[in-house]
């Protein structure tokens, strides 16, 4: 129904006449006065229309004898509280007032007119009734809008409370007038006070706050002087729970004046449990401190070694020993950094396994070889029990050996000198097992699972961690899981040794055993011209030194621009270029080298500290053929150079450019890191 027709209905006068003629006369009269009017045929019909909406009702005393009179009265009684339909009853003056009769007594808005009545009296009574009825509708509308506002308020309060609950927010309020702090249920939980203690005096509240933070909280929250504050204030502090546990609370509060009592100040508090964040921050700080420490450790012997070499006679007396120490320390740093990179690659799901059917025994042999220096340094007695038959698994050989090396190194590290270490490798029908056992410091039962978490180190073993950052076991677990296996730790407790067992699914033997690769004949060393571009002169110069010693013809440049100039004059076969150069970076250098017909055919090798997949893709897009990550192993670099053919220089003079067949093959062989 449209609003207009609803309004018409609300103003409509319903007439129940004794005769049709009476009805027509009455309606004509009312319509003449501009009133909406309808004749209703009988009492039942009138009753049903009253229960929808109506402006007023006009009856005559003839209705008194109508057996359905009470249905009209019932309908009037069932009206909502705001409604009181006006009834105008035309009654003969000589008859006993029908208003006295039965159900009429119940009517609360009845106007009695003598019959016959004057037109004026009838019209004026009906108009008054309609005006009164209009006010009732106004009240109804106000009630409805109040109800709608109330519902909206309730819904918004529910949403707010749900939001507060989902966000884990605790709400509280300081009432400065009575010096009390009121807590929501969540706040009572956060502050560690029982639900019964949701209103605390200032003193009771301060007693919950950690003693070291009390002055701050008291000054910044409880003695808020400048009311109202312009901006919300934020403080972090500790609270102490009754069982002694300390939790961090991160709070924002705003001091406001109560709307009515302008001198009544309150602080509205929104607080969060910040314990996990604070602990993570602390762990991060500790980690960075350990990292700095562990990176500095290998640098100390390198620097001392260099200083010893510089002393007269130092080179002769201690050269080989110092170089081997430096080599070892450097490897330690490289391993640390590789582990860190692995952690970030695994965390972002970027580790791609190069899986093959591999014999776990060969991998264990490799791992034992790699860990031997650690085992020997600890004077440990080491025994290996390896399955007599091949143990085939589907895996990435270098990743699996990384797993075993980590476990062996840890066993050697966390066992006092002269300990006993054991490695066992066996298989069942479906699984392969590698078990590394030691009789070292052991692991408390509550840490057996936690040691696999990132950056976790058991208290009391830090002095033995020797360059560890607490990431080795986390890598072991994740690498094992990537291979569809699992690793568990066991220990009978501190001082009772530890056992780490890796379980991997086995696969069937390959149909034919892989042929041993024929040893490659060392290729004749080509006489290459190499240009090294790096803004760190030491890096470029040392590289030149190495390449000169290997018989290459080498030039260096310390900036991109100088590099482009040298490249034009020198026509190098290979350009080894840093990426992070000031002014013109390696990508730009590569693009310009490729754009110039004279330098375009050179093989471009990026040598950079960045080794992410994205960075490798970018160097390739800029025109590099290879991407090497610093610090590069000189053997790997020389091996790569040995595969590059010198350019036929007469071609250049003919202006021939483009990739030779060899170069095209090299591009395909581009694997990111060599
Ligand atoms: P890191 O050795 O660098 O500290 P790991 O992730 O390899 O890190 O090991 C985490 C922690 O587990 C170590 O700090 C040490 O407390 C404990 N742990 C690892 N292996 C052993 C072991 N074989 N015996 C006793 N504790 C060990």
């Amino acid at each position: 129904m449209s609003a207009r027709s609803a309004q018409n209905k609300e103003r409509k006068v319903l007439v129940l006449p004794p005769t049709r003629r009476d009805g027509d006369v009455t309606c004509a009269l009312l319509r003449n006065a501009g009133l909406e009017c309808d004749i209703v045929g009988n009492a039942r019909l009138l009753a049903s229309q009253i229960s929808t909406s109506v402006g007023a009702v006009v009856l005559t005393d003839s209705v008194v004898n109508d057996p359905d009179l009470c249905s009209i009265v019932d309908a009037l009684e069932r009206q909502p509280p705001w409604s009181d339909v006006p009834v105008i009853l035309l009654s003969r003056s000589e008859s006993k007032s029908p208003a006295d009769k039965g159900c009429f007594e119940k009517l609360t808005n009845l106007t009695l007119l003598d019959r016959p009545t004057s037109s004026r009296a009838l019209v004026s009574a009906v108009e008054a009734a309609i005006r009164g009825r209009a006010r009732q509708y106004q009240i109804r509308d106000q009630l409805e809008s109040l109800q709608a506002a109330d519902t909206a308020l309730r819904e918004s309060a529910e949403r707010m409370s749900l939001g507060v609950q989902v966000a884990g927010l605790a709400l509280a309020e300081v009432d400065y007038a009575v010096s009390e702090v009121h807590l929501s249920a969540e706040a009572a939980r956060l502050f560690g006070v029982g639900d019964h203690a949701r209103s605390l005096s200032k003193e009771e509240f301060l007693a919950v706050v950690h003693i070291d933070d009390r002055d701050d909280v008291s000054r910044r929250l409880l003695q808020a002087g400048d009311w109202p504050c312009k901006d919300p204030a934020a403080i972090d502090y500790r609270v102490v729970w009754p069982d002694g546990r300390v939790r961090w609370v991160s709070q924002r509060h705003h001091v406001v004046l109560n709307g009515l009592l302008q001198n009544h100040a309150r602080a509205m508090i929104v607080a969060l449990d910040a314990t996990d964040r604070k602990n993570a921050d602390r762990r991060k700080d500790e980690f960075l401190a350990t990292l700095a420490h562990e990176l500095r450790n290998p640098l100390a012997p390198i620097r001392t070694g260099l200083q010893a070499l510089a002393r007269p006679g130092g080179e002769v007396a201690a050269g080989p020993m110092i170089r081997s120490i430096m080599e070892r320390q450097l490897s330690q740093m490289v391993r640390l950094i590789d582990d860190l990179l692995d952690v970030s690659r695994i965390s972002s799901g970027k580790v791609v396994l190069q899986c093959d059917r591999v014999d776990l025994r060969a991998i264990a042999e490799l791992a034992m070889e790699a860990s031997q220096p650690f085992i020997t340094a600890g004077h440990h007695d080491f025994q290996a029990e390896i399955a007599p038959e091949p143990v085939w698994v589907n895996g990435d050989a270098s990743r699996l050996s990384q797993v075993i090396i980590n476990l062996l190194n840890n066993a050697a590290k966390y066992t006092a000198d002269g300990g006993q270490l054991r490695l066992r490798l066996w298989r069942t029908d479906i699984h392969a097992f590698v078990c590394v056992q030691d009789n070292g410091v052991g692991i408390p039962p509550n840490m057996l699972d936690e040691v696999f978490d990132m950056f976790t180190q058991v208290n009391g073993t830090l002095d033995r961690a020797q360059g560890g950052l607490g990431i080795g076991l986390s890598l072991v677990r994740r690498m094992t899981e990537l291979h569809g296996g699992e690793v568990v730790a066991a220990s009978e407790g501190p001082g009772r040794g530890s056992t780490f067992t890796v379980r991997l699914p086995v696969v069937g033997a390959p149909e034919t055993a892989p042929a041993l690769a024929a040893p490659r004949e060392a290729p004749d060393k080509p006489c290459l011209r190499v240009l090294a571009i790096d803004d760190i002169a030491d890096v470029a110069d040392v590289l030149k030194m190495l390449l000169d010693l290997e018989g290459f013809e080498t030039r260096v440049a310390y900036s991109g621009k100088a590099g482009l100039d040298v490249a034009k004059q020198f026509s190098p076969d290979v350009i080894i270029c840093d990426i992070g150069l000031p002014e013109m970076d390696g990508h730009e250098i590569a693009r310009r080298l490729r754009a110039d017909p004279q330098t375009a055919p050179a093989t471009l090798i990026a040598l950079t500290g960045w080794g992410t997949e994205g960075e490798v893709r970018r160097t390739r897009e800029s025109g590099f053929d290879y991407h090497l990550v610093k610090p590069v192993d000189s053997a790997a670099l020389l091996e790569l150079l040995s595969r590059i053919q010198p350019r036929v220089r007469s071609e250049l003079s003919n202006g021939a450019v483009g990739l030779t067949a060899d170069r095209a093959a090299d591009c395909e062989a581009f694997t990111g890191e060599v």
Side-chain angles (χ1 to χ4, degrees):
M1 191 190 311
S2 73
R4 191 181 187 86
S5 67
Q7 237 178 11
N8 287 346
K9 233 175 134 190
E10 286 174 356
R11 285 211 306 259
K12 187 158 280 176
V13 182
L14 300 181
V15 180
L16 179 63
T19 64
R20 180 79 205 176
R21 208 186 105 69
D22 280 342
D24 288 342
V25 171
T26 310
C27 275
L29 189 70
L30 295 176
R31 283 187 190 127
N32 261 347
L35 294 162
E36 296 272 339
C37 171
D38 262 354
I39 299 171
V40 188
N42 60 51
R44 281 197 173 277
L45 221 52
L46 178 63
S48 75
Q49 293 199 21
I50 285 174
S51 42
T52 53
S53 54
V54 57
V57 172
V58 177
L59 305 173
T60 60
D61 48 7
S62 60
V63 79
V64 169
N65 301 321
D66 192 322
D68 289 330
L69 170 65
C70 282
S71 64
I72 298 176
V73 179
D74 283 350
L76 290 169
E77 273 188 339
R78 282 198 306 272
Q79 297 175 79
W82 58 267
S83 172
D84 195 5
V85 173
V87 177
I88 296 151
L89 180 68
L90 305 175
S91 164
R92 289 182 197 285
S93 50
E94 68 276 16
S95 65
K96 183 174 177 291
S97 167
D100 301 337
K101 185 173 159 53
C103 13
F104 273 108
E105 281 165 10
K106 297 182 189 161
L107 299 190
T108 49
N109 195 359
L110 179 71
T111 305
L112 203 59
L113 295 180
D114 281 340
R115 190 176 159 208
T117 185
S118 75
S119 320
R120 246 173 44 162
L122 178 63
V123 168
S124 128
V126 173
E127 280 176 342
I130 291 290
R131 274 196 301 276
R133 183 66 174 155
R135 275 196 295 279
Q136 289 176 23
Y137 284 127
Q138 270 172 11
I139 291 171
R140 176 200 62 186
D141 293 346
Q142 275 172 9
L143 279 175
E144 278 176 1
S145 62
L146 274 178
Q147 240 161 25
D150 186 52
T151 310
L153 202 67
R154 209 154 357 99
E155 282 173 1
S156 139
E158 273 166 18
R159 268 200 302 277
M160 164 101 168
S161 127
L162 191 67
V164 164
Q165 203 184 333
V166 169
L169 293 177
L171 304 181
E173 188 184 320
V174 182
D175 188 335
Y176 295 103
V178 289
S179 280
E180 275 186 356
V181 183
H182 304 287
L183 307 175
S184 69
E186 182 59 25
R189 198 200 56 73
L190 173 59
F191 287 92
V193 298
D195 208 34
H196 55 277
R198 305 247 306 258
S199 280
L200 304 175
S201 68
K202 272 187 188 178
E203 292 70 29
E204 286 168 333
F205 179 75
L206 277 183
V208 176
V209 176
H210 192 283
I211 189 155
D212 292 344
D213 298 333
R214 257 178 226 165
D215 283 350
D216 197 33
V217 172
S218 172
R219 189 168 42 78
R220 296 177 60 191
L221 173 67
L222 299 178
Q223 300 162 11
D226 291 335
W227 302 329
C229 299
K230 260 208 321 282
D231 301 309
I235 37 176
D236 288 359
Y237 55 94
R238 286 158 291 177
V239 293
V240 184
W241 284 6
D243 60 6
R245 272 187 292 166
V246 175
R247 309 293 296 178
W248 273 97
V249 174
S250 183
Q251 152 185 322
R252 285 173 78 80
H253 65 266
H254 197 184
V255 179
V256 287
L257 291 176
N258 188 316
L260 294 174
L261 309 163
Q262 276 295 299
N263 55 354
H264 183 177
R266 294 173 304 155
M268 309 305 298
I269 301 174
V270 179
L272 259 180
D273 188 338
T275 314
D276 290 346
R277 174 169 61 79
K278 290 280 182 184
N279 285 345
D281 283 355
R282 187 176 42 77
R283 280 231 296 276
K284 187 192 74 196
D285 290 346
E286 281 171 7
F287 169 71
L288 288 176
T290 320
L291 180 61
H293 174 255
E294 298 310 336
L295 288 176
R296 242 188 236 130
N297 268 348
L299 290 177
I302 293 177
R303 169 178 273 177
T304 319
L306 283 171
Q307 287 163 350
L309 285 178
R311 295 184 74 81
E315 175 68 54
V316 179
M321 191 187 93
I322 292 176
R323 264 192 294 281
S324 93
I325 292 175
M326 284 160 95
E327 179 75 27
R328 240 191 347 267
Q329 296 301 327
L330 193 70
S331 312
Q332 159 80 351
M333 273 181 80
V334 172
R335 204 177 51 241
L336 211 64
I337 293 166
D338 282 349
D339 276 2
L340 279 172
L341 288 176
D342 272 348
V343 166
S344 101
R345 281 192 202 117
I346 290 188
S347 307
S348 51
K350 284 191 184 140
V351 168
V352 182
L353 297 181
Q354 313 272 325
C355 280
D356 240 331
R357 192 183 304 252
V358 286
D359 182 359
L360 207 48
R361 297 179 314 156
I363 291 171
E365 295 290 348
L366 276 178
M368 287 188 283
E369 223 175 278
S371 295
Q372 195 56 51
F374 278 89
I375 299 172
T376 312
H379 308 106
H380 299 303
D381 168 29
F382 177 64
Q383 286 176 13
E385 287 170 30
I386 307 285
E389 300 294 327
V391 180
W392 297 108
V393 295
N394 185 29
D396 181 323
S398 74
R399 294 310 195 175
L400 288 176
S401 70
Q402 195 183 1
V403 166
I404 303 176
I405 292 171
N406 262 315
L407 295 179
L408 283 173
N409 290 356
N410 274 355
K413 268 199 300 187
Y414 298 105
T415 301
D417 273 15
Q420 288 175 342
L421 314 188
R422 197 147 75 117
L423 181 142
R424 285 185 299 139
L425 167 59
W426 75 99
R427 63 162 291 173
T428 61
D429 283 350
I430 46 173
H431 288 125
F433 293 88
V434 181
C435 173
V436 176
Q437 195 174 6
D438 63 59
N439 65 342
V441 299
I443 300 171
N446 61 328
M447 294 298 288
L448 283 174
D449 203 46
E450 268 184 50
V451 286
F452 293 101
D453 290 347
M454 198 85 80
F455 311 132
T456 300
Q457 296 182 304
V458 179
N459 278 340
T461 62
L462 287 184
D463 53 333
R464 301 201 62 84
Q466 300 168 13
L469 293 170
I471 51 184
L473 284 183
S474 154
L475 288 178
V476 165
R477 170 164 279 178
R478 297 193 192 187
M479 290 297 179
T480 309
E481 285 171 355
L482 282 177
H483 282 87
E486 67 169 5
V487 54
V488 288
S491 170
E492 287 181 12
R496 314 276 303 266
S498 314
T499 306
F500 287 83
T501 309
V502 175
R503 198 186 71 190
L504 295 166
V506 287
V507 293
E511 278 169 14
T512 51
L516 285 179
R520 275 217 296 198
E521 297 223 347
D524 285 343
K525 199 187 300 166
C527 179
L528 289 177
R529 287 187 190 182
V530 183
L531 165 63
I533 308 174
D534 202 308
D535 61 322
I536 302 176
D538 283 353
V539 175
D541 292 347
V542 170
L543 193 58
K544 175 172 172 12
M545 214 155 65
L546 172 77
L547 297 178
D548 284 348
L549 283 171
E550 288 294 317
F552 295 101
E553 195 184 340
T554 322
R555 296 274 193 284
V556 291
Y558 306 132
S559 72
K561 189 177 167 316
L564 292 176
D565 290 346
V566 177
K568 256 181 127 50
Q569 294 152 16
F570 179 53
S571 295
D573 304 295
V574 178
I575 300 172
I576 302 175
C577 185
D578 184 22
I579 295 295
L581 291 146
E583 287 160 24
M584 189 191 299
D585 70 9
H587 299 293
E588 182 58 26
I589 298 172
R591 278 191 287 273
R592 293 196 188 194
L593 288 169
R594 289 286 184 233
D596 183 337
Q598 209 178 329
T599 50
T603 298
L604 299 189
I605 301 176
L607 181 57
T608 165
W610 300 107
T612 61
E613 275 177 32
E615 198 58 42
V616 173
R617 194 176 50 246
R618 275 193 72 200
T619 49
R620 185 184 319 172
E621 284 162 6
S622 330
F624 282 97
D625 300 293
Y626 297 96
H627 183 117
L628 301 183
V629 179
K630 288 177 182 171
V632 69
D633 180 21
S634 49
L637 176 62
L638 294 175
E639 209 276 321
L640 170 60
L641 291 177
S642 73
R643 289 195 264 137
I644 298 169
Q645 296 299 314
R647 290 156 70 190
V648 180
R649 283 173 217 291
S650 60
E651 264 183 28
L652 278 175
S653 47
N654 296 338
V657 291
L659 298 179
T660 61
D662 279 350
R663 273 284 307 288
D666 284 344
C667 286
E668 276 166 31
F670 187 101
T671 54
E673 291 174 28
V674 175

